[in-house]
Amino acid sequence: DRAAWQKPDQIMDALNIAEGSSVADIGAGAGWFTIRLARRVGPNGVVYAQDVQRLMIEAIRRRVNREGLQNVQPRLGSGSDPKLSPKSLDAALLVEVYAEVEVGDRVTLLRNLTQALKPKGMIGIVNWKPGEGGPGPNADARVPSEVVEADARTAHLRVRARENLPYQYLLVLAP
């Protein structure tokens, strides 16, 4: 039921992800969002499925092979460095990963992602709303939107849009 409450189409629409887009799925995990992004960008687009765990990269490789997708490039990142080329992305998406990034690395990660954006590129951050509602981690493991917004300001990003999802929020950031 994840698609029903996470609203992947709403998230991709908010980031203007379309046919031919170049997108990074940061902290891609096993590739749930990667697959949806790959279908959205089509054969003329590319999805960089980035994760810091080699096992997740291997899982994504298996999954995209099974799905027959040719437009996904798995990337092993490290800490705050997503290992992406400068000015290569229309959008970067971080779904449920901000809390996993070391507090001291968050602004550096945002700055590195900003360098990877094309001039009109955007960063989307999806996090769990504060409190205990719905699926997701305990309340103490959730990052309030105010914290993300403060990090964004420090990284010289502005909030371009806010989307309210059933159990999560989406912040769309731009330089």
Side-chain angles (χ1 to χ4, degrees):
D1 65 341
R2 180 176 173 181
W5 56 259
Q6 192 158 66
K7 312 286 186 199
D9 288 326
Q10 180 181 342
I11 292 168
M12 291 186 285
D13 289 348
L15 290 167
N16 296 328
I17 296 170
E19 169 70 33
S21 293
S22 174
V23 184
D25 184 5
I26 305 298
W32 188 88
F33 230 106
T34 298
I35 299 302
R36 283 150 183 82
L37 290 166
R39 290 184 181 131
R40 172 72 74 102
V41 304
N44 296 319
V46 64
V47 176
Y48 300 99
Q50 186 272 345
D51 206 282
V52 297
Q53 297 180 50
R54 192 171 301 281
L55 287 175
M56 293 294 101
I57 296 299
E58 294 306 319
I60 290 169
R61 280 195 176 103
R62 287 190 302 274
R63 187 167 188 177
V64 299
N65 285 337
R66 200 170 47 246
E67 300 270 345
L69 297 168
Q70 303 294 314
N71 60 348
V72 176
Q73 295 184 21
R75 291 276 169 99
L76 184 64
S78 63
S80 60
D81 185 358
K83 310 276 190 203
L84 297 164
S85 299
K87 299 186 184 332
S88 62
L89 300 176
D90 295 299
L93 180 60
L94 295 81
V95 177
E96 302 166 13
V97 294
Y98 206 76
E100 304 296 321
V101 179
E102 294 289 331
V103 173
D105 288 342
R106 291 175 179 168
V107 170
T108 303
L109 174 62
L110 291 174
R111 286 180 176 147
N112 287 334
L113 289 172
T114 301
Q115 290 174 1
L117 294 177
K118 293 178 183 177
K120 294 188 181 201
M122 295 179 278
I123 299 170
I125 298 180
V126 177
N127 277 327
W128 299 100
K129 292 177 185 173
E132 294 289 342
N138 294 331
D140 61 344
R142 298 179 182 208
V143 180
S145 62
E146 298 81 16
V147 171
V148 179
E149 291 181 45
D151 289 346
R153 284 190 299 276
T154 302
H156 305 292
L157 294 163
R158 64 182 169 82
V159 177
R160 184 168 172 179
R162 292 174 181 82
E163 298 272 337
N164 195 21
L165 306 169
Y167 304 112
Q168 298 173 308
Y169 61 86
L170 164 66
L171 293 178
V172 177
L173 310 174

